[in-house]
Amino acid sequence: MPGNDSLSPVMNSLAATSGRRNFLGARNLWPNGEIASETFDGMIDEVRVWRVARTEEQVREGAARNFTGREEGLVGLWNFENVENGVVKDAGPNGFHGKLVGHAKTVEAQLPAAAAPSFSGTQRVLELDGKGSYVELPKMAFTNLTAATVEGWVKWSRFRNFSRFFDFGAVWKGMAVNNQGIDNNLTFHLYAPEKQEHFIRTSGILSSNQWCHLAAV
């Protein structure tokens, strides 16, 4: 993972407002605002953004329980339990409500037993079809971060071309987590100014139709 000296310009680029868009399930592609035609195909739930670098212990402990939205350091929480007229309500402190795009919808689903007891039974999750469906969050949601943790429960149905769990920022000026190519390799990208790319890639770690908890710090 990049050290602090490498990370600082990346977070500065996240703070830029020009051309920025924040997606769950879609990919920033061109400066004119176009997104990639192949989007995420699967389900996403309990997405959290923090203004701090969460420790491994904190991530593991938090993965197995629901949050209220009032936790210290929390920027936003999207659990898809409260969606009205296509608006995905942010349960966090800032009211960064998102919007459903395309055929994005919420459905009842069962999270894995590893998440019990907090996730016992079914709950509402985001379902995307890989054909231009995604959630868009406000452009200004993450402009004041000097550190960040983005986490959530994710289940790919199919590994489409560089399909994103999330993509925050502008083209070549942001951060994203996605499968690599059309394979089950997982990649965390950080883009600094002048298209300087930092990334962590883990080969063969993802399985289709299986929930996993991901955290990018």
Side-chain angles (χ1 to χ4, degrees), residues 44-48 59-68 77-81 108-125 151-154 211-213:
I44 297 174
D45 194 36
E46 196 71 13
V47 179
R48 308 161 187 160
V59 169
R60 289 185 181 277
E61 185 275 332
R65 63 185 180 92
N66 290 113
F67 280 70
T68 66
L77 168 63
W78 300 270
N79 54 23
F80 308 103
E81 295 294 332
E108 293 285 337
Q110 175 74 58
L111 265 71
S118 294
F119 295 131
S120 59
T122 61
Q123 62 184 62
R124 304 298 295 182
V125 305
E151 60 178 313
W153 284 93
V154 187
W211 284 105
C212 60
H213 185 266

mmCIF file of all heavy atoms in Angstrom, residues 44-48 59-68 77-81 108-125 151-154 211-213:
data_model
loop_
_atom_site.group_PDB
_atom_site.id
_atom_site.type_symbol
_atom_site.label_atom_id
_atom_site.label_comp_id
_atom_site.label_asym_id
_atom_site.label_seq_id
_atom_site.Cartn_x
_atom_site.Cartn_y
_atom_site.Cartn_z
ATOM 1 N N ILE A 44 -24.885 -5.367 -3.555
ATOM 2 C CA ILE A 44 -24.033 -4.587 -2.655
ATOM 3 C C ILE A 44 -24.870 -4.213 -1.435
ATOM 4 O O ILE A 44 -26.054 -3.899 -1.561
ATOM 5 C CB ILE A 44 -23.514 -3.310 -3.352
ATOM 6 C CG1 ILE A 44 -22.633 -3.667 -4.553
ATOM 7 C CG2 ILE A 44 -22.728 -2.433 -2.373
ATOM 8 C CD1 ILE A 44 -22.205 -2.455 -5.394
ATOM 9 N N ASP A 45 -24.246 -4.201 -0.250
ATOM 10 C CA ASP A 45 -24.983 -3.810 0.948
ATOM 11 C C ASP A 45 -24.052 -3.186 1.978
ATOM 12 O O ASP A 45 -22.832 -3.395 1.951
ATOM 13 C CB ASP A 45 -25.685 -5.020 1.565
ATOM 14 C CG ASP A 45 -26.722 -4.617 2.604
ATOM 15 O OD1 ASP A 45 -27.386 -3.581 2.411
ATOM 16 O OD2 ASP A 45 -26.890 -5.340 3.600
ATOM 17 N N GLU A 46 -24.652 -2.410 2.894
ATOM 18 C CA GLU A 46 -23.980 -1.832 4.072
ATOM 19 C C GLU A 46 -22.676 -1.125 3.682
ATOM 20 O O GLU A 46 -21.591 -1.421 4.195
ATOM 21 C CB GLU A 46 -23.707 -2.935 5.101
ATOM 22 C CG GLU A 46 -23.372 -2.467 6.499
ATOM 23 C CD GLU A 46 -24.543 -1.870 7.282
ATOM 24 O OE1 GLU A 46 -25.705 -2.030 6.846
ATOM 25 O OE2 GLU A 46 -24.275 -1.240 8.317
ATOM 26 N N VAL A 47 -22.771 -0.183 2.754
ATOM 27 C CA VAL A 47 -21.608 0.584 2.308
ATOM 28 C C VAL A 47 -21.325 1.698 3.315
ATOM 29 O O VAL A 47 -22.230 2.455 3.679
ATOM 30 C CB VAL A 47 -21.835 1.187 0.912
ATOM 31 C CG1 VAL A 47 -20.621 2.014 0.482
ATOM 32 C CG2 VAL A 47 -22.121 0.078 -0.101
ATOM 33 N N ARG A 48 -20.081 1.785 3.765
ATOM 34 C CA ARG A 48 -19.686 2.798 4.737
ATOM 35 C C ARG A 48 -18.434 3.522 4.250
ATOM 36 O O ARG A 48 -17.519 2.895 3.730
ATOM 37 C CB ARG A 48 -19.377 2.154 6.091
ATOM 38 C CG ARG A 48 -20.455 1.237 6.626
ATOM 39 C CD ARG A 48 -19.896 0.307 7.687
ATOM 40 N NE ARG A 48 -20.882 -0.697 8.109
ATOM 41 C CZ ARG A 48 -20.571 -1.831 8.719
ATOM 42 N NH1 ARG A 48 -19.294 -2.103 8.994
ATOM 43 N NH2 ARG A 48 -21.512 -2.686 9.067
ATOM 44 N N VAL A 59 -12.095 -3.175 11.221
ATOM 45 C CA VAL A 59 -12.819 -3.612 10.026
ATOM 46 C C VAL A 59 -13.456 -4.974 10.262
ATOM 47 O O VAL A 59 -14.640 -5.194 9.951
ATOM 48 C CB VAL A 59 -11.887 -3.651 8.806
ATOM 49 C CG1 VAL A 59 -12.561 -4.367 7.633
ATOM 50 C CG2 VAL A 59 -11.477 -2.239 8.394
ATOM 51 N N ARG A 60 -12.690 -5.905 10.813
ATOM 52 C CA ARG A 60 -13.210 -7.255 11.034
ATOM 53 C C ARG A 60 -14.366 -7.250 12.036
ATOM 54 O O ARG A 60 -15.377 -7.937 11.845
ATOM 55 C CB ARG A 60 -12.091 -8.180 11.513
ATOM 56 C CG ARG A 60 -11.077 -8.524 10.432
ATOM 57 C CD ARG A 60 -10.052 -9.532 10.920
ATOM 58 N NE ARG A 60 -9.075 -9.849 9.901
ATOM 59 C CZ ARG A 60 -9.262 -10.744 8.928
ATOM 60 N NH1 ARG A 60 -10.418 -11.412 8.866
ATOM 61 N NH2 ARG A 60 -8.334 -10.982 8.030
ATOM 62 N N GLU A 61 -14.209 -6.493 13.108
ATOM 63 C CA GLU A 61 -15.262 -6.428 14.115
ATOM 64 C C GLU A 61 -16.516 -5.768 13.546
ATOM 65 O O GLU A 61 -17.645 -6.213 13.775
ATOM 66 C CB GLU A 61 -14.757 -5.660 15.344
ATOM 67 C CG GLU A 61 -15.720 -5.630 16.525
ATOM 68 C CD GLU A 61 -16.750 -4.509 16.438
ATOM 69 O OE1 GLU A 61 -16.444 -3.471 15.802
ATOM 70 O OE2 GLU A 61 -17.852 -4.673 16.986
ATOM 71 N N GLY A 62 -16.326 -4.705 12.771
ATOM 72 C CA GLY A 62 -17.464 -3.978 12.229
ATOM 73 C C GLY A 62 -18.180 -4.692 11.107
ATOM 74 O O GLY A 62 -19.371 -4.446 10.862
ATOM 75 N N ALA A 63 -17.479 -5.602 10.415
ATOM 76 C CA ALA A 63 -18.095 -6.303 9.282
ATOM 77 C C ALA A 63 -19.279 -7.145 9.725
ATOM 78 O O ALA A 63 -20.195 -7.393 8.946
ATOM 79 C CB ALA A 63 -17.055 -7.175 8.585
ATOM 80 N N ALA A 64 -19.273 -7.597 10.979
ATOM 81 C CA ALA A 64 -20.278 -8.537 11.457
ATOM 82 C C ALA A 64 -21.433 -7.877 12.191
ATOM 83 O O ALA A 64 -22.189 -8.542 12.883
ATOM 84 C CB ALA A 64 -19.607 -9.566 12.371
ATOM 85 N N ARG A 65 -21.587 -6.555 12.044
ATOM 86 C CA ARG A 65 -22.713 -5.916 12.729
ATOM 87 C C ARG A 65 -23.216 -4.714 11.926
ATOM 88 O O ARG A 65 -22.500 -4.137 11.117
ATOM 89 C CB ARG A 65 -22.325 -5.479 14.141
ATOM 90 C CG ARG A 65 -21.236 -4.424 14.227
ATOM 91 C CD ARG A 65 -20.876 -4.172 15.688
ATOM 92 N NE ARG A 65 -19.832 -3.177 15.847
ATOM 93 C CZ ARG A 65 -20.064 -1.871 16.013
ATOM 94 N NH1 ARG A 65 -21.317 -1.419 16.029
ATOM 95 N NH2 ARG A 65 -19.073 -1.023 16.169
ATOM 96 N N ASN A 66 -24.460 -4.373 12.192
ATOM 97 C CA ASN A 66 -25.041 -3.171 11.607
ATOM 98 C C ASN A 66 -24.546 -1.942 12.359
ATOM 99 O O ASN A 66 -24.246 -2.004 13.545
ATOM 100 C CB ASN A 66 -26.574 -3.216 11.698
ATOM 101 C CG ASN A 66 -27.192 -4.241 10.783
ATOM 102 O OD1 ASN A 66 -27.749 -5.213 11.265
ATOM 103 N ND2 ASN A 66 -27.113 -4.041 9.487
ATOM 104 N N PHE A 67 -24.482 -0.811 11.663
ATOM 105 C CA PHE A 67 -24.122 0.455 12.293
ATOM 106 C C PHE A 67 -25.349 1.363 12.308
ATOM 107 O O PHE A 67 -26.250 1.237 11.487
ATOM 108 C CB PHE A 67 -22.968 1.123 11.540
ATOM 109 C CG PHE A 67 -21.620 0.544 11.880
ATOM 110 C CD1 PHE A 67 -21.274 -0.717 11.467
ATOM 111 C CD2 PHE A 67 -20.715 1.271 12.629
ATOM 112 C CE1 PHE A 67 -20.028 -1.255 11.780
ATOM 113 C CE2 PHE A 67 -19.470 0.753 12.937
ATOM 114 C CZ PHE A 67 -19.123 -0.517 12.518
ATOM 115 N N THR A 68 -25.355 2.287 13.239
ATOM 116 C CA THR A 68 -26.501 3.187 13.387
ATOM 117 C C THR A 68 -26.405 4.407 12.486
ATOM 118 O O THR A 68 -27.406 5.046 12.189
ATOM 119 C CB THR A 68 -26.612 3.670 14.839
ATOM 120 O OG1 THR A 68 -25.469 4.485 15.157
ATOM 121 C CG2 THR A 68 -26.670 2.492 15.804
ATOM 122 N N LEU A 77 -23.306 6.271 5.344
ATOM 123 C CA LEU A 77 -23.721 4.882 5.496
ATOM 124 C C LEU A 77 -24.930 4.645 4.612
ATOM 125 O O LEU A 77 -25.978 5.282 4.785
ATOM 126 C CB LEU A 77 -24.067 4.585 6.963
ATOM 127 C CG LEU A 77 -24.786 3.264 7.257
ATOM 128 C CD1 LEU A 77 -23.911 2.073 6.878
ATOM 129 C CD2 LEU A 77 -25.183 3.192 8.732
ATOM 130 N N TRP A 78 -24.788 3.741 3.648
ATOM 131 C CA TRP A 78 -25.875 3.406 2.731
ATOM 132 C C TRP A 78 -26.206 1.920 2.894
ATOM 133 O O TRP A 78 -25.470 1.057 2.417
ATOM 134 C CB TRP A 78 -25.473 3.725 1.292
ATOM 135 C CG TRP A 78 -25.155 5.182 1.113
ATOM 136 C CD1 TRP A 78 -26.029 6.187 0.764
ATOM 137 C CD2 TRP A 78 -23.892 5.812 1.314
ATOM 138 N NE1 TRP A 78 -25.376 7.387 0.737
ATOM 139 C CE2 TRP A 78 -24.063 7.198 1.076
ATOM 140 C CE3 TRP A 78 -22.623 5.349 1.690
ATOM 141 C CZ2 TRP A 78 -23.016 8.112 1.179
ATOM 142 C CZ3 TRP A 78 -21.583 6.256 1.803
ATOM 143 C CH2 TRP A 78 -21.782 7.625 1.540
ATOM 144 N N ASN A 79 -27.297 1.633 3.610
ATOM 145 C CA ASN A 79 -27.671 0.242 3.874
ATOM 146 C C ASN A 79 -28.892 -0.195 3.061
ATOM 147 O O ASN A 79 -29.338 -1.339 3.188
ATOM 148 C CB ASN A 79 -27.923 0.009 5.368
ATOM 149 C CG ASN A 79 -28.946 0.970 5.953
ATOM 150 O OD1 ASN A 79 -29.786 1.520 5.233
ATOM 151 N ND2 ASN A 79 -28.878 1.177 7.265
ATOM 152 N N PHE A 80 -29.452 0.702 2.245
ATOM 153 C CA PHE A 80 -30.514 0.407 1.280
ATOM 154 C C PHE A 80 -31.824 -0.028 1.938
ATOM 155 O O PHE A 80 -32.681 -0.597 1.287
ATOM 156 C CB PHE A 80 -30.033 -0.629 0.255
ATOM 157 C CG PHE A 80 -28.740 -0.242 -0.374
ATOM 158 C CD1 PHE A 80 -27.542 -0.841 0.001
ATOM 159 C CD2 PHE A 80 -28.686 0.791 -1.306
ATOM 160 C CE1 PHE A 80 -26.334 -0.437 -0.545
ATOM 161 C CE2 PHE A 80 -27.487 1.196 -1.859
ATOM 162 C CZ PHE A 80 -26.299 0.584 -1.476
ATOM 163 N N GLU A 81 -31.962 0.265 3.242
ATOM 164 C CA GLU A 81 -33.215 -0.012 3.932
ATOM 165 C C GLU A 81 -34.229 1.109 3.718
ATOM 166 O O GLU A 81 -35.420 0.914 3.930
ATOM 167 C CB GLU A 81 -32.953 -0.194 5.434
ATOM 168 C CG GLU A 81 -32.099 -1.399 5.792
ATOM 169 C CD GLU A 81 -32.783 -2.718 5.469
ATOM 170 O OE1 GLU A 81 -34.035 -2.766 5.472
ATOM 171 O OE2 GLU A 81 -32.073 -3.708 5.199
ATOM 172 N N GLU A 108 -34.873 -8.087 -1.271
ATOM 173 C CA GLU A 108 -34.595 -8.815 -0.043
ATOM 174 C C GLU A 108 -33.538 -9.880 -0.329
ATOM 175 O O GLU A 108 -33.615 -10.588 -1.334
ATOM 176 C CB GLU A 108 -35.865 -9.481 0.483
ATOM 177 C CG GLU A 108 -36.925 -8.513 0.966
ATOM 178 C CD GLU A 108 -36.572 -7.898 2.306
ATOM 179 O OE1 GLU A 108 -35.767 -8.508 3.047
ATOM 180 O OE2 GLU A 108 -37.090 -6.812 2.617
ATOM 181 N N ALA A 109 -32.557 -9.987 0.542
ATOM 182 C CA ALA A 109 -31.503 -10.987 0.365
ATOM 183 C C ALA A 109 -30.972 -11.419 1.720
ATOM 184 O O ALA A 109 -31.114 -10.703 2.716
ATOM 185 C CB ALA A 109 -30.370 -10.439 -0.504
ATOM 186 N N GLN A 110 -30.329 -12.572 1.726
ATOM 187 C CA GLN A 110 -29.722 -13.124 2.928
ATOM 188 C C GLN A 110 -28.225 -12.949 2.861
ATOM 189 O O GLN A 110 -27.585 -13.434 1.925
ATOM 190 C CB GLN A 110 -30.062 -14.612 3.052
ATOM 191 C CG GLN A 110 -29.377 -15.320 4.199
ATOM 192 C CD GLN A 110 -29.974 -14.945 5.543
ATOM 193 O OE1 GLN A 110 -31.166 -15.136 5.769
ATOM 194 N NE2 GLN A 110 -29.139 -14.403 6.421
ATOM 195 N N LEU A 111 -27.653 -12.233 3.818
ATOM 196 C CA LEU A 111 -26.201 -12.127 3.889
ATOM 197 C C LEU A 111 -25.623 -13.390 4.509
ATOM 198 O O LEU A 111 -26.351 -14.178 5.129
ATOM 199 C CB LEU A 111 -25.784 -10.878 4.683
ATOM 200 C CG LEU A 111 -25.508 -9.654 3.806
ATOM 201 C CD1 LEU A 111 -26.796 -9.115 3.224
ATOM 202 C CD2 LEU A 111 -24.780 -8.571 4.569
ATOM 203 N N PRO A 112 -24.315 -13.622 4.376
ATOM 204 C CA PRO A 112 -23.723 -14.888 4.835
ATOM 205 C C PRO A 112 -23.808 -15.059 6.343
ATOM 206 O O PRO A 112 -23.897 -14.095 7.105
ATOM 207 C CB PRO A 112 -22.264 -14.784 4.375
ATOM 208 C CG PRO A 112 -22.013 -13.330 4.218
ATOM 209 C CD PRO A 112 -23.305 -12.745 3.759
ATOM 210 N N ALA A 113 -23.739 -16.327 6.773
ATOM 211 C CA ALA A 113 -23.806 -16.646 8.198
ATOM 212 C C ALA A 113 -22.679 -15.989 8.979
ATOM 213 O O ALA A 113 -22.800 -15.724 10.174
ATOM 214 C CB ALA A 113 -23.770 -18.162 8.394
ATOM 215 N N ALA A 114 -21.563 -15.707 8.301
ATOM 216 C CA ALA A 114 -20.415 -15.079 8.974
ATOM 217 C C ALA A 114 -20.774 -13.707 9.520
ATOM 218 O O ALA A 114 -20.114 -13.187 10.414
ATOM 219 C CB ALA A 114 -19.241 -14.957 8.005
ATOM 220 N N ALA A 115 -21.819 -13.107 8.980
ATOM 221 C CA ALA A 115 -22.221 -11.781 9.424
ATOM 222 C C ALA A 115 -23.218 -11.822 10.576
ATOM 223 O O ALA A 115 -23.574 -10.792 11.122
ATOM 224 C CB ALA A 115 -22.842 -11.010 8.268
ATOM 225 N N ALA A 116 -23.673 -13.013 10.963
ATOM 226 C CA ALA A 116 -24.647 -13.151 12.049
ATOM 227 C C ALA A 116 -23.984 -12.760 13.379
ATOM 228 O O ALA A 116 -22.772 -12.854 13.530
ATOM 229 C CB ALA A 116 -25.144 -14.588 12.101
ATOM 230 N N PRO A 117 -24.765 -12.304 14.400
ATOM 231 C CA PRO A 117 -26.223 -12.273 14.401
ATOM 232 C C PRO A 117 -26.816 -10.972 13.849
ATOM 233 O O PRO A 117 -28.015 -10.900 13.657
ATOM 234 C CB PRO A 117 -26.558 -12.414 15.885
ATOM 235 C CG PRO A 117 -25.429 -11.714 16.574
ATOM 236 C CD PRO A 117 -24.205 -12.000 15.730
ATOM 237 N N SER A 118 -26.001 -9.952 13.640
ATOM 238 C CA SER A 118 -26.567 -8.657 13.255
ATOM 239 C C SER A 118 -27.337 -8.722 11.949
ATOM 240 O O SER A 118 -28.309 -8.004 11.757
ATOM 241 C CB SER A 118 -25.452 -7.614 13.133
ATOM 242 O OG SER A 118 -24.876 -7.356 14.391
ATOM 243 N N PHE A 119 -26.905 -9.568 11.024
ATOM 244 C CA PHE A 119 -27.540 -9.652 9.722
ATOM 245 C C PHE A 119 -28.427 -10.894 9.610
ATOM 246 O O PHE A 119 -28.624 -11.413 8.521
ATOM 247 C CB PHE A 119 -26.486 -9.675 8.627
ATOM 248 C CG PHE A 119 -25.690 -8.412 8.524
ATOM 249 C CD1 PHE A 119 -24.307 -8.451 8.473
ATOM 250 C CD2 PHE A 119 -26.310 -7.179 8.491
ATOM 251 C CE1 PHE A 119 -23.564 -7.279 8.373
ATOM 252 C CE2 PHE A 119 -25.578 -6.015 8.390
ATOM 253 C CZ PHE A 119 -24.201 -6.059 8.334
ATOM 254 N N SER A 120 -28.934 -11.404 10.737
ATOM 255 C CA SER A 120 -29.774 -12.600 10.686
ATOM 256 C C SER A 120 -31.063 -12.287 9.934
ATOM 257 O O SER A 120 -31.607 -11.192 10.015
ATOM 258 C CB SER A 120 -30.093 -13.081 12.100
ATOM 259 O OG SER A 120 -30.758 -12.078 12.827
ATOM 260 N N GLY A 121 -31.542 -13.257 9.175
ATOM 261 C CA GLY A 121 -32.718 -13.044 8.355
ATOM 262 C C GLY A 121 -32.367 -12.276 7.095
ATOM 263 O O GLY A 121 -31.208 -12.044 6.779
ATOM 264 N N THR A 122 -33.398 -11.881 6.355
ATOM 265 C CA THR A 122 -33.165 -11.135 5.124
ATOM 266 C C THR A 122 -33.195 -9.640 5.388
ATOM 267 O O THR A 122 -33.741 -9.180 6.393
ATOM 268 C CB THR A 122 -34.229 -11.473 4.069
ATOM 269 O OG1 THR A 122 -35.523 -11.118 4.580
ATOM 270 C CG2 THR A 122 -34.200 -12.956 3.729
ATOM 271 N N GLN A 123 -32.596 -8.883 4.497
ATOM 272 C CA GLN A 123 -32.644 -7.430 4.578
ATOM 273 C C GLN A 123 -32.551 -6.863 3.173
ATOM 274 O O GLN A 123 -32.276 -7.584 2.209
ATOM 275 C CB GLN A 123 -31.528 -6.902 5.461
ATOM 276 C CG GLN A 123 -30.119 -7.195 4.999
ATOM 277 C CD GLN A 123 -29.126 -6.696 6.035
ATOM 278 O OE1 GLN A 123 -29.114 -7.147 7.168
ATOM 279 N NE2 GLN A 123 -28.312 -5.742 5.642
ATOM 280 N N ARG A 124 -32.801 -5.563 3.050
ATOM 281 C CA ARG A 124 -32.765 -4.914 1.744
ATOM 282 C C ARG A 124 -31.319 -4.714 1.306
ATOM 283 O O ARG A 124 -30.468 -4.272 2.082
ATOM 284 C CB ARG A 124 -33.467 -3.560 1.794
ATOM 285 C CG ARG A 124 -34.890 -3.575 2.282
ATOM 286 C CD ARG A 124 -35.815 -4.388 1.413
ATOM 287 N NE ARG A 124 -35.969 -3.839 0.075
ATOM 288 C CZ ARG A 124 -36.764 -4.380 -0.848
ATOM 289 N NH1 ARG A 124 -37.452 -5.481 -0.572
ATOM 290 N NH2 ARG A 124 -36.871 -3.829 -2.054
ATOM 291 N N VAL A 125 -31.034 -5.050 0.050
ATOM 292 C CA VAL A 125 -29.710 -4.837 -0.524
ATOM 293 C C VAL A 125 -29.882 -4.208 -1.911
ATOM 294 O O VAL A 125 -30.969 -4.252 -2.504
ATOM 295 C CB VAL A 125 -28.906 -6.155 -0.635
ATOM 296 C CG1 VAL A 125 -28.818 -6.854 0.713
ATOM 297 C CG2 VAL A 125 -29.505 -7.085 -1.684
ATOM 298 N N GLU A 151 -15.910 0.619 2.820
ATOM 299 C CA GLU A 151 -16.161 -0.811 3.022
ATOM 300 C C GLU A 151 -17.603 -1.168 2.706
ATOM 301 O O GLU A 151 -18.479 -0.301 2.657
ATOM 302 C CB GLU A 151 -15.815 -1.225 4.456
ATOM 303 C CG GLU A 151 -16.602 -0.496 5.525
ATOM 304 C CD GLU A 151 -16.246 -0.983 6.929
ATOM 305 O OE1 GLU A 151 -16.190 -2.210 7.136
ATOM 306 O OE2 GLU A 151 -16.045 -0.125 7.811
ATOM 307 N N GLY A 152 -17.837 -2.457 2.489
ATOM 308 C CA GLY A 152 -19.193 -2.923 2.241
ATOM 309 C C GLY A 152 -19.219 -4.414 1.955
ATOM 310 O O GLY A 152 -18.173 -5.046 1.760
ATOM 311 N N TRP A 153 -20.425 -4.961 1.964
ATOM 312 C CA TRP A 153 -20.635 -6.343 1.544
ATOM 313 C C TRP A 153 -20.932 -6.356 0.049
ATOM 314 O O TRP A 153 -21.751 -5.571 -0.429
ATOM 315 C CB TRP A 153 -21.801 -6.958 2.321
ATOM 316 C CG TRP A 153 -21.428 -7.322 3.731
ATOM 317 C CD1 TRP A 153 -21.574 -6.552 4.843
ATOM 318 C CD2 TRP A 153 -20.821 -8.541 4.158
ATOM 319 N NE1 TRP A 153 -21.099 -7.222 5.942
ATOM 320 C CE2 TRP A 153 -20.626 -8.447 5.559
ATOM 321 C CE3 TRP A 153 -20.427 -9.708 3.501
ATOM 322 C CZ2 TRP A 153 -20.051 -9.472 6.300
ATOM 323 C CZ3 TRP A 153 -19.856 -10.733 4.238
ATOM 324 C CH2 TRP A 153 -19.677 -10.611 5.627
ATOM 325 N N VAL A 154 -20.267 -7.252 -0.675
ATOM 326 C CA VAL A 154 -20.322 -7.249 -2.138
ATOM 327 C C VAL A 154 -20.471 -8.682 -2.644
ATOM 328 O O VAL A 154 -19.820 -9.597 -2.129
ATOM 329 C CB VAL A 154 -19.043 -6.618 -2.736
ATOM 330 C CG1 VAL A 154 -19.179 -6.463 -4.245
ATOM 331 C CG2 VAL A 154 -18.742 -5.272 -2.087
ATOM 332 N N TRP A 211 -21.098 -13.733 -1.178
ATOM 333 C CA TRP A 211 -20.879 -12.478 -0.471
ATOM 334 C C TRP A 211 -19.468 -12.418 0.111
ATOM 335 O O TRP A 211 -18.953 -13.418 0.621
ATOM 336 C CB TRP A 211 -21.874 -12.335 0.673
ATOM 337 C CG TRP A 211 -23.264 -11.954 0.283
ATOM 338 C CD1 TRP A 211 -24.358 -12.776 0.245
ATOM 339 C CD2 TRP A 211 -23.731 -10.656 -0.096
ATOM 340 N NE1 TRP A 211 -25.470 -12.069 -0.150
ATOM 341 C CE2 TRP A 211 -25.124 -10.767 -0.364
ATOM 342 C CE3 TRP A 211 -23.098 -9.410 -0.241
ATOM 343 C CZ2 TRP A 211 -25.896 -9.689 -0.753
ATOM 344 C CZ3 TRP A 211 -23.881 -8.329 -0.641
ATOM 345 C CH2 TRP A 211 -25.252 -8.461 -0.897
ATOM 346 N N CYS A 212 -18.850 -11.250 0.032
ATOM 347 C CA CYS A 212 -17.580 -11.022 0.716
ATOM 348 C C CYS A 212 -17.593 -9.602 1.265
ATOM 349 O O CYS A 212 -18.282 -8.723 0.738
ATOM 350 C CB CYS A 212 -16.385 -11.222 -0.224
ATOM 351 S SG CYS A 212 -16.352 -10.125 -1.659
ATOM 352 N N HIS A 213 -16.861 -9.390 2.336
ATOM 353 C CA HIS A 213 -16.745 -8.056 2.915
ATOM 354 C C HIS A 213 -15.431 -7.462 2.442
ATOM 355 O O HIS A 213 -14.363 -8.052 2.616
ATOM 356 C CB HIS A 213 -16.790 -8.105 4.438
ATOM 357 C CG HIS A 213 -16.803 -6.737 5.050
ATOM 358 N ND1 HIS A 213 -15.642 -6.113 5.465
ATOM 359 C CD2 HIS A 213 -17.797 -5.863 5.273
ATOM 360 C CE1 HIS A 213 -15.947 -4.905 5.937
ATOM 361 N NE2 HIS A 213 -17.233 -4.725 5.832
#
